[in-house]
């Protein structure tokens, strides 16, 4: 079982930046793909970004490409989401997710491809 804890959410003005962190309960350098998703009330959870277990590959949703950067520090069992040029439409609860894989370079973008989830952290972007 892997426990995930997100932090770093908050209120920010449009155009500003935030960095989210997700710390895991066990060593994630060993085969865990990490993803970020977000959800707003009444909508389905949507993919934001994901990074392979060694950090060599990453993918982004089109809506955040060029503004968000996903990274990881396996020595600290932590994955980050640096969010820049934030827009009001980025307002959501952001979730960290993890799943095991045995292939470096593999990343996943679907909710049902992840096994473990954090409780989420609220990000609010004011206009």
């Amino acid at each position: 079982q892997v426990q995930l804890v997100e932090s770093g959410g908050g209120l920010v003005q449009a155009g500003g930046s935030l960095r989210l962190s997700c710390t895991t309960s066990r060593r994630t350098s060993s085969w865990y793909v990490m993803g970020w998703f977000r959800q707003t009330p009444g909508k389905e959870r949507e993919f934001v970004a994901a990074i392979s277990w060694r950090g060599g590959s990453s993918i982004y949703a089109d809506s955040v490409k060029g503004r968000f950067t996903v990274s990881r520090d396996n020595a600290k069992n932590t994955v980050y989401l640096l969010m820049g040029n934030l827009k009001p439409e980025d307002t959501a609860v952001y979730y960290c997710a993890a799943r095991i894989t045995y292939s470096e370079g593999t990343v996943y973008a679907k909710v049902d491809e992840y096994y473990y989830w954090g409780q989420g952290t609220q990000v609010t972007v004011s206009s």
Side-chain angles (χ1 to χ4, degrees), residues 42-84:
K43 293 188 177 182
E44 293 187 352
R45 194 167 296 187
E46 66 173 6
F47 171 74
V48 175
I51 188 167
S52 60
W53 70 271
R54 283 184 174 173
S57 297
S58 58
I59 56 172
Y60 299 89
D62 288 343
S63 59
V64 307
K65 202 171 293 183
R67 300 189 297 122
F68 290 12
T69 302
V70 61
S71 62
R72 63 192 297 161
D73 185 341
N74 287 338
K76 296 181 179 179
N77 296 337
T78 301
V79 63
Y80 304 98
L81 184 68
L82 177 61
M83 307 184 295

Side-chain angles (χ1 to χ4, degrees), residues 2-117:
V2 178
Q3 294 179 330
L4 311 176
V5 179
E6 303 95 337
S7 61
L11 174 64
V12 64
Q13 288 188 333
S17 300
L18 277 177
R19 189 181 76 162
L20 305 183
S21 299
C22 172
T23 301
T24 66
S25 62
R26 61 184 297 176
R27 183 177 179 181
T28 52
S29 58
S30 301
W31 313 111
Y32 282 93
V33 174
M34 303 298 295
W36 286 98
F37 292 77
R38 66 187 182 187
Q39 189 171 23
T40 55
K43 293 188 177 182
E44 293 187 352
R45 194 167 296 187
E46 66 173 6
F47 171 74
V48 175
I51 188 167
S52 60
W53 70 271
R54 283 184 174 173
S57 297
S58 58
I59 56 172
Y60 299 89
D62 288 343
S63 59
V64 307
K65 202 171 293 183
R67 300 189 297 122
F68 290 12
T69 302
V70 61
S71 62
R72 63 192 297 161
D73 185 341
N74 287 338
K76 296 181 179 179
N77 296 337
T78 301
V79 63
Y80 304 98
L81 184 68
L82 177 61
M83 307 184 295
N85 190 22
L86 282 161
K87 304 175 181 181
E89 51 264 42
D90 294 318
T91 295
V93 177
Y94 282 72
Y95 297 90
C96 175
R99 71 157 285 166
I100 199 165
T101 182
Y102 297 105
S103 175
E104 164 58 8
T106 301
V107 287
Y108 303 95
K110 296 181 180 179
V111 171
D112 59 7
E113 292 178 314
Y114 286 85
Y115 303 153
Y116 307 106
W117 293 85

